[in-house]
Amino acid sequence: MVSQTETTKTDIGFTHEDFAALLDQYDYHFSPGDVVPGTVFSMEQRGALIDIGAKTAAYIPVQELSINRVDNPDEVLQPNETREFFILTDENEDGQLTLSIRRIEYMRAWERVRQLQQEDATVYSNVFATNRGGALVRVEGLRGFIPGSHISAKDAKEDLLGQDLPLKFLEVDEERNRLVLSHRRALVERKMNGLEVAQVVVGSVRGIKPYGAFIDIGGVSGLLHISEISHDHIDTPHSVFNVNDELKVMIIDLDAERGRISLSTKQLEPEPGDMLTKRELVFEKAEEMAALYRQKLLAGDDAQEEDAVVVEQETTELVENVATEDVNEGVEETTTNDDELASSVTE
C-alpha cells in the first residue's frame, strides 16, 4: 500500500523588496549630461512627458524645447515622436528626470560656429537690438555681439535694426559664452575684391582722431594715418582736414584678416608739403604719382626676386660642392679600404 505523502508549501524566500532590487539591477542608469532617445508620451500645457525607458516618464519644460523662443510644446514636438533628449537634471523626489532639447541645439550651434570661424566664412544675420556698445544678432541660434567699432561707418547702429548684415567672426568662446562678430571686416573683404595696393580712390572724411583720419571709400572705412598725410610735419590731422572733406587717397596696404585698409596722400605729393599748401595739385597729379609709386613697388619686388635667385644659386653651388667633396672622400675611403684588403689577402 502506497503511503500518502503530505504536501507542504515551499518557502522560496523572494520578497517584494528583492523584486524591486532586481528591477533596479537591470534598470538603465541615467545621469545629467547624457543624450538619450525618447518618445513623446503626453503633451502638457507647459511641457511634455517623455518615455526614455526609466521607471517614471521624464519631463521637458517649454523653456527647454528650443534654443529659440517657444510658447507652446506643439511648436516643436508631436505626439509619439521619437528623438534625442539631453538629461538636464537628476531625478527629483518623485523619481522624474528633467530633459532638454535646447542644450543639444546649443552644443551643436557652438560646434557649427567654430567650424565657420575656421573656414573664415561670411554669415548673414538680422540685427534684433542695439545698445550703447554695438548691435545684437543671432547666428545659428546663438546671441552674437557686433562692437560699435566693427559696424560700418556709413550707418548709425540704430538704423541697422531689422537689417540682414554680412558678418565675419572675431571671437568664438563657448566657455565664456562670447560670440563677437564684425560687420566692417565683412564689408572690407567684399570691397577688397575690387581694390589693390597703389590704387587711387575717392573718399570722404568721416572722422578725425589725433593719430589720423578715417576715410569712407564706398561704404568701408580706411585709415589715413598722420604719418601718411604729408612729407612735412603735422601736429594734428584737425589742422589739415574737416569732416566731410572729399579727398583723393592712395591705398598702401590691404589687410583682409584684420579688416583694415591703410591710405596715403603723402605718396601722392609731387613735392614734399604739397598736401598742405597745394592740395588741388596733389589731386590733379594723383594718378601720375600713383603710377610712379607702383613702379617703385615693382622694382623693389624685382630686386627681391633677383636677391632670392642669387641666394638660391649660391646655396645650390654650396650644396653641390659639399656633395662632390663627400663623394670624393667616399671614393678615397673605398679605394684605401680595397688596397688594405688586397694587401692583407696577399700577406
Side-chain angles (χ1 to χ4, degrees):
M1 184 175 181
V2 179
S3 62
Q4 185 177 2
T5 58
E6 187 178 88
T7 304
T8 59
K9 293 182 178 180
T10 304
D11 184 8
I12 62 174
F14 197 75
T15 65
H16 288 292
E17 288 77 10
D18 295 330
F19 182 69
L22 186 62
L23 287 177
D24 288 338
Q25 181 180 347
Y26 290 98
D27 193 15
Y28 290 109
H29 180 68
F30 299 101
S31 301
D34 290 346
V35 176
V36 297
T39 302
V40 179
F41 178 72
S42 174
M43 303 287 284
E44 307 289 329
Q45 184 176 3
R46 299 299 300 165
L49 294 173
I50 311 297
D51 179 11
I52 61 170
K55 290 179 292 185
T56 304
Y59 181 70
I60 181 167
V62 68
Q63 62 267 26
E64 291 296 331
L65 284 171
S66 175
I67 199 171
N68 300 310
R69 179 183 174 85
V70 172
D71 295 320
N72 298 301
D74 57 11
E75 295 178 34
V76 177
L77 299 176
Q78 299 297 322
N80 300 318
E81 176 187 0
T82 299
R83 61 179 300 164
E84 288 184 326
F85 295 89
F86 180 92
I87 298 179
L88 191 62
T89 65
D90 214 336
E91 295 180 353
N92 60 17
E93 57 186 12
D94 297 325
Q96 189 175 66
L97 295 162
T98 302
L99 305 179
S100 174
I101 296 172
R102 184 178 68 88
R103 286 297 181 92
I104 295 177
E105 294 179 343
Y106 187 78
M107 292 186 297
R108 290 175 180 170
W110 278 109
E111 182 179 350
R112 175 62 178 153
V113 295
R114 281 194 296 270
Q115 180 184 359
L116 290 170
Q117 182 191 37
Q118 290 175 358
E119 296 172 356
D120 195 27
T122 299
V123 296
Y124 287 80
S125 185
N126 187 274
V127 177
F128 68 86
T130 61
N131 55 32
R132 186 172 59 182
L136 298 175
V137 295
R138 292 194 184 277
V139 179
E140 297 292 325
L142 300 172
R143 177 176 291 195
F145 178 67
I146 310 172
S149 60
H150 281 270
I151 293 174
S152 167
K154 187 177 180 180
D155 301 308
K157 55 180 181 287
E158 293 78 12
D159 297 334
L160 297 176
L161 274 173
Q163 290 191 35
D164 285 326
L165 304 181
L167 302 168
K168 284 285 189 179
F169 292 95
L170 293 179
E171 183 179 356
V172 176
D173 190 336
E174 182 178 0
E175 290 185 2
R176 299 171 63 195
N177 196 30
R178 284 174 60 88
L179 180 59
V180 186
L181 305 113
S182 173
H183 176 42
R184 177 171 57 82
R185 193 182 146 199
L187 289 177
V188 169
E189 183 180 272
R190 180 190 297 175
K191 185 69 177 179
M192 280 183 181
N193 292 332
L195 297 177
E196 58 184 21
V197 173
Q199 180 180 356
V200 175
V201 292
V202 177
S204 176
V205 178
R206 290 304 183 200
I208 302 175
K209 301 291 183 181
Y211 52 84
F214 288 97
I215 313 299
D216 179 11
I217 50 174
V220 295
S221 182
L223 176 63
L224 177 57
H225 193 268
I226 187 171
S227 63
E228 286 295 332
I229 293 175
S230 176
H231 285 86
D232 281 3
H233 175 73
I234 296 171
D235 291 326
T236 172
H238 289 86
S239 63
V240 183
F241 303 121
N242 294 310
V243 174
N244 295 326
D245 279 358
E246 293 272 334
L247 305 177
K248 273 189 177 182
V249 292
M250 185 179 71
I251 298 170
I252 57 172
D253 187 55
L254 295 169
D255 188 342
E257 185 175 345
R258 300 170 69 184
R260 293 183 179 178
I261 301 175
S262 300
L263 307 170
S264 176
T265 51
K266 169 183 174 179
Q267 305 299 332
L268 299 179
E269 290 183 323
E271 296 293 336
D274 280 351
M275 190 62 198
L276 308 182
T277 58
K278 302 176 182 178
R279 184 182 301 187
E280 292 304 319
L281 177 64
V282 173
F283 295 162
E284 180 183 339
K285 299 284 187 179
E287 282 74 12
E288 181 180 334
M289 296 303 298
L292 293 174
Y293 181 83
R294 192 177 296 108
Q295 289 176 7
K296 291 179 183 178
L297 290 180
L298 292 174
D301 291 341
D302 291 341
Q304 288 181 357
E305 287 180 6
E306 289 177 3
D307 291 342
V309 169
V310 170
V311 171
E312 184 178 355
Q313 288 175 344
E314 292 176 348
T315 303
T316 301
E317 291 174 0
L318 177 61
V319 170
E320 289 176 349
N321 291 336
V322 170
T324 302
E325 291 174 2
D326 289 343
V327 170
N328 291 335
E329 289 177 3
V331 170
E332 290 174 1
E333 288 179 3
T334 303
T335 304
T336 302
N337 291 337
D338 288 344
D339 291 342
E340 290 176 355
L341 180 60
S343 176
S344 63
V345 170
T346 304
E347 291 175 359

